[in-house]
């Protein structure tokens, strides 16, 4: 339970952080809140020789609205996501999902950037960001890249981040006023990762689903964007039969592991149950 020795670096600017990462290459890792990386280091599943701590990079903090987009700095903590008035008014699914992450101690330090960059399929924010159509801003020696959350996740702990990259911000298009939303998560106990979870954002018009987006957590090696399931709902009233079809389409793209949270078949079914609940709650919250 004690990490292997490492050198600790605390850069004062992004350029300095990028320089340190370039100098030390694969031997260096970025650390933000440390609540995923340090536990991995303690059990020696991660053994970086150099830790580059982002905590002094003030430009990675703050939550702003810029031209219909919410720009959230990578170092914004889960606790700040819950407390932020702008997010509560414009995009409340973020606080709803953040409240279901871990416990208050973890949320006080764990960051949005760390949660989405980590690549653990159990992290809750990636599916929410896929559901919202967010974009990740990433800088490295080659300059800045903008990567859609829906294109970012490639396998367990395998993302579009390259060695030497720092994720600086997450940009989220403001969902339409009056949208409905819900994040439903099944977990074994408070503070646990999801057995299965579903994020839904939708709009209604004249009783019909006008737009819909669905993300799923921890039911495959990556978070999932259930595009086909959402398409089944768009334009419908939606009645019980249509909801069932959409849930079945979402279940069909899952491929969970059998583990301590249950056998694969159970977790797939729980993804369906979470989605049905999230759709119902999102619909009840939507205007129109
Ligand atoms: C007891 C416990 C329970 C938890 N339960 C949950 C849960 O239910 N749901 C959930 O989603 N999470 C859970 N977590 C994880 C927690 O939310 C983490 O804080 C989060 O996943 C990572 O954020 P961090 O800032 O701590 O990142 P770190 O641990 O500092 O980093 C995580 C990874 O991301 C990389 N990284 C971090 N920031 C950046 C950046 N800006 N740019 C590039 N790479 C970066 C690091 O190099 C590392 O590989 C739990 C953690 C604990 C200890």
């Amino acid at each position: 339970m004690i990490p292997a020795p490492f050198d600790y670096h605390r850069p004062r600017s992004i350029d300095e952080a990028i320089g340190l990462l370039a100098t030390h290459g694969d031997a260096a890792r970025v650390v933000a809140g440390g609540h995923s990386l340090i536990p991995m280091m303690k059990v020696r599943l991660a053994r970086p020789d150099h830790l580059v701590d982002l905590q002094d990079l003030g430009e990675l903090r703050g939550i702003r609205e810029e031209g219909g987009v919410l720009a959230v700095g990578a170092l914004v903590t889960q606790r700040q996501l819950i407390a932020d008035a702008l997010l509560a008014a414009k995009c409340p699914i973020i606080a709803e999902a953040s409240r279901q992450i871990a416990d208050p101690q973890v949320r006080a330090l764990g960051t949005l950037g760390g949660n989405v960059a980590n690549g653990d399929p159990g992290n809750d924010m990636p599916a929410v960001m896929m559901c919202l159509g967010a974009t990740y801003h990433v800088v490295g020696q080659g300059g800045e890249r903008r990567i859609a959350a829906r294109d970012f996740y490639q396998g367990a702990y395998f993302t579009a981040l390259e060695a030497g990259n720092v994720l600086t911000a997450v940009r989220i298009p403001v969902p339409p006023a009056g949208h409905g939303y819900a994040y439903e998560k099944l977990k074994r106990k408070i503070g646990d990762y999801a057995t299965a979870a579903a994020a839904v954002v939708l709009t209604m018009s004249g009783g019909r689903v006008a737009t819909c987006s669905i993300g799923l957590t921890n039911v495959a090696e990556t978070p999932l964007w259930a595009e086909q399931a959402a398409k089944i709902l768009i334009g419908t009233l939606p009645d019980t039969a249509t909801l069932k079809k959409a849930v079945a389409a979402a279940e069909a793209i899952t491929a969970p592991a059998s583990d301590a949270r249950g056998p694969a078949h159970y977790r797939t079914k729980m993804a369906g149950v979470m989605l049905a609940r999230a759709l119902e709650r999102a619909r009840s919250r939507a205007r129109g």
Side-chain angles (χ1 to χ4, degrees), residues 22-154:
T23 302
H24 298 294
D26 286 345
R29 286 283 283 274
V30 158
V31 65
H35 270 50
S36 287
L37 183 56
I38 304 295
M40 299 268 278
M41 289 170 61
K42 284 181 170 178
V43 293
R44 310 276 174 120
L45 283 173
R47 296 182 70 140
D49 295 322
H50 299 269
L51 273 192
V52 178
D53 190 343
L54 303 180
Q55 288 297 331
D56 282 347
L57 306 186
E59 60 264 59
L60 268 55
R61 299 186 189 279
I63 302 171
R64 285 173 290 280
E65 185 177 359
E66 297 164 352
V69 171
L70 296 161
V72 185
L75 282 184
V76 170
T77 63
Q78 291 145 13
R79 182 172 68 181
Q80 290 167 335
L81 294 174
I82 292 169
D84 188 75
L86 178 64
L87 290 184
K90 299 286 174 107
C91 195
I93 192 173
I94 293 177
E96 178 160 298
S98 300
R99 263 185 236 107
Q100 299 180 60
I101 293 177
D103 53 51
Q105 278 179 306
V106 172
R107 296 196 294 262
L109 283 176
T111 65
L112 177 61
N115 200 286
V116 300
N118 193 32
D120 180 341
N123 282 135
D124 289 287
M125 278 302 159
V128 176
M129 294 303 140
M130 290 170 99
C131 177
L132 287 165
T135 302
Y136 302 156
H137 286 224
V138 173
V139 294
Q141 280 218 308
E144 190 188 58
R145 288 188 297 150
R146 298 176 179 204
I147 309 164
R150 292 170 189 168
D151 298 331
F152 187 77
Y153 300 97
Q154 300 169 354

Side-chain angles (χ1 to χ4, degrees), residues 13 70 98 102 120-121 140 187 249 263 265 285:
S13 69
L70 296 161
S98 300
D120 180 341
K187 52 192 177 204
H265 179 69
R285 284 167 160 169

